[in-house]
Amino acid sequence: MKNILFLFMLLSFVGSAQTIITVAGGGTEIGNGVPATSNSLLTPYNISLDDTGNLYVRCVGSHNIKKIRPAYNGYSYHFAGFDAAGYSGDGGPAAYAKIQDIAYIHTGRDGSVYLSDAYRLRKIGPNGIINTIAGTGVPGYNGDHIPATSAQVNSVASIVTDDTGNVYFNDRSNHRIRKIDTFGMITTVAGNGYIGMTPDGAHADTAKFPEAMTVLVIDKHNNLYYLDSISIRRIDAHSRIVTTVAGNGTSGFSGDGGPATAASIRAGFIAIDTADNIYLATSVYARVRKITPDGIINTIAGSGAVGDSGDGGNPLYAAFGSIQGICVNKDGDVFVSDASNGKVRMITNKSVSVGEASNAHNSQAACISIMPNPAKNGFAIFIEDPLIQDIDVIVSDLKGKTVISQRSKTNQSIRINQELVTGVYLITATTERYKISNTVQIE
């Protein structure tokens, strides 16, 4: 009987075994269409995933966003911004916009990408067009119940969205959590504008936030969670009452296997999955911890040692450098930005192997991006492909008549300035390996 029990426990452990691998960074190559694990990432901080499995990366010191498509076994592409700092491009393709200072990125349920840009919030729609949705560029606070684009914001540290398209963000230096509704109006949903700590049972309107309060996440019930210096707090979507879900009030590392509210934790980064598991990544302790819906906390990655090791093995034995971001996909794979090692790493239950992302080119990885779309005065075509190669591009009307024919290269912007009559046009791109297409609306 003891042998049977031991075998059952062993099989359960093996069945739930996780692996950690690098999915982006750690290489020396720079540019579009290179395997993500061959790409050079300079201090990746904030990361975010969309619902189709693409990973977005913001690196310190850069003024752009990279897109890893797909997040696992994928390729790296330029997504938004130039390397030069600035503020321009609203109403046009994000790939050509200037961005001043990206502090945080977030992907919405509809595929939009949100970013904090100095004292503004900007949104890149699914069509690739960037626009400012909040902030004037001047730091401060000038009230609520006004159009968000007329409102002053101050050091936006985190952004989340709900299923209906409302945007919530941590207006850090104003010590408030604010909301932009679907009509573009801004309100405060938590915080009275003062620095401090909030006791359990307090209403969100009276909440005080510490300077260290940074990360904000939202669950499927629209409950908001924020991380202060020593605890994770929840703001109930209905009662708007603040409660502690993790942290005993002391900074440290303790409590694995027990209630999260009895554990010592330290500020870092948090994420939440569709099953309401909360993930806490802390750079100081070089670990990733998981809090289950029943309130139990455990470490799922990191030995506590600072370094760069463990790929291909059990995540609990891995060493991290400086963890500066975390996100999780719908399959429960956890992605961590290991900033000082220049990598994004994945903790997964999948059967994977180290270096798998550098395998031979997958011909299905190519796609056509058209910006802007709809278009009025010309548009740009960009064929994303892991390989740089010759490509024939044809623009035809819906009757099949060719109106533009051009030979170019993949991973280069193809500008179409020819005046076209109003209507829908088919864009076809052909190489020796494949033929792909998309449409553009001319207004």
Side-chain angles (χ1 to χ4, degrees):
M1 182 68 182
K2 288 182 179 180
N3 290 337
I4 294 174
L5 179 61
F6 174 76
L7 179 60
F8 174 77
M9 292 173 64
L10 179 62
L11 290 174
S12 298
F13 173 78
V14 172
S16 61
Q18 291 186 310
T19 305
I20 185 169
I21 62 168
T22 294
V23 294
T28 58
E29 295 187 46
I30 299 174
N32 273 315
V34 301
T37 51
S38 299
N39 198 221
S40 174
L41 293 180
L42 180 62
T43 320
Y45 259 55
N46 187 226
I47 55 177
S48 188
L49 288 155
D50 66 24
D51 285 347
T52 59
N54 300 306
L55 176 70
Y56 299 83
V57 182
R58 190 271 297 189
C59 293
V60 171
S62 72
H63 304 280
N64 56 50
I65 300 170
K66 289 181 179 289
K67 178 181 179 180
I68 311 298
R69 186 175 64 83
Y72 167 64
N73 200 18
Y75 294 81
S76 177
Y77 299 97
H78 171 73
F79 177 70
F82 286 121
D83 283 329
Y87 173 71
S88 68
D90 273 7
Y96 305 110
K98 284 188 177 181
I99 300 171
Q100 182 66 40
D101 183 19
I102 306 171
Y104 197 88
I105 57 175
H106 166 76
T107 50
R109 310 287 167 83
D110 67 345
S112 296
V113 176
Y114 298 81
L115 61 139
S116 57
D117 184 8
Y119 303 107
R120 297 180 176 93
L121 273 75
R122 303 176 80 180
K123 173 183 177 180
I124 304 168
N127 62 357
I129 302 302
I130 188 170
N131 281 292
T132 297
I133 61 169
T136 63
V138 178
Y141 175 77
N142 61 345
D144 287 319
H145 306 287
I146 59 176
T149 50
S150 300
Q152 290 177 290
V153 300
N154 203 351
S155 299
V156 176
S158 190
I159 309 165
V160 296
T161 52
D162 64 22
D163 284 335
T164 60
N166 297 303
V167 180
Y168 303 82
F169 66 96
N170 170 16
D171 198 350
R172 183 175 180 178
S173 293
N174 283 327
H175 317 295
R176 302 169 186 269
I177 297 172
R178 303 176 79 181
K179 172 184 173 181
I180 306 166
D181 65 23
T182 54
F183 298 101
M185 302 297 287
I186 192 168
T187 54
T188 294
V189 296
N192 60 11
Y194 292 95
I195 300 173
M197 300 296 287
T198 302
D200 278 359
H203 193 274
D205 288 344
T206 64
K208 296 179 181 180
F209 299 127
E211 287 282 8
M213 200 274 275
T214 53
V215 182
L216 187 69
V217 296
I218 192 168
D219 66 17
K220 61 189 177 184
H221 311 291
N222 290 337
N223 301 308
L224 290 168
Y225 298 76
Y226 67 90
L227 178 64
D228 61 29
S229 56
I230 52 175
S231 59
I232 300 173
R233 318 296 298 281
R234 179 177 62 220
I235 302 172
D236 186 87
H238 301 290
S239 68
R240 298 180 62 218
I241 297 299
V242 180
T243 55
T244 298
V245 296
N248 61 14
T250 61
S251 177
F253 174 80
S254 70
D256 272 5
T261 50
S264 294
I265 66 172
R266 179 74 177 264
F269 301 86
I270 55 174
I272 193 165
D273 65 18
T274 54
D276 290 338
N277 296 297
I278 300 170
Y279 301 85
L280 167 66
T282 306
S283 182
V284 172
Y285 298 110
R287 289 183 170 97
V288 179
R289 306 174 81 179
K290 177 180 179 179
I291 303 159
T292 54
D294 60 358
I296 302 302
I297 189 170
N298 277 294
T299 297
I300 63 167
S303 65
V306 176
D308 182 10
S309 64
D311 275 4
N314 189 323
L316 290 171
Y317 301 122
F320 293 98
S322 174
I323 301 175
Q324 296 296 332
I326 187 170
C327 56
V328 58
N329 66 15
K330 58 187 177 183
D331 296 325
D333 300 320
V334 180
F335 294 76
V336 177
S337 59
D338 193 351
S340 59
N341 289 322
K343 297 177 176 180
V344 178
R345 303 170 78 180
M346 178 177 74
I347 303 157
T348 181
N349 287 313
K350 295 184 177 75
S351 176
V352 296
S353 60
V354 179
E356 193 171 318
S358 298
N359 286 346
H361 168 58
N362 175 5
S363 63
Q364 300 302 314
C367 74
I368 300 178
S369 298
I370 302 168
M371 300 175 292
N373 191 7
K376 290 183 179 180
N377 302 309
F379 55 92
I381 302 169
F382 191 90
I383 293 91
E384 295 181 1
D385 191 313
L387 298 179
I388 297 176
Q389 56 185 311
D390 293 330
I391 192 161
D392 292 308
V393 177
I394 293 175
V395 180
S396 57
D397 60 26
L398 294 185
K399 294 181 180 180
K401 180 182 177 181
T402 298
V403 293
I404 298 171
S405 180
Q406 190 169 329
R407 189 169 180 80
S408 186
K409 296 277 189 183
T410 57
N411 300 310
Q412 292 183 5
S413 180
I414 305 166
R415 183 69 190 175
I416 304 297
N417 293 314
Q418 183 174 326
E419 186 173 342
L420 299 173
V421 298
T422 301
V424 177
Y425 292 81
L426 179 67
I427 313 294
T428 304
T430 307
T431 71
E432 292 181 351
R433 296 180 297 105
Y434 60 78
K435 182 177 182 179
I436 54 177
S437 60
N438 201 345
T439 59
V440 61
Q441 172 76 44
I442 303 298
E443 296 180 336

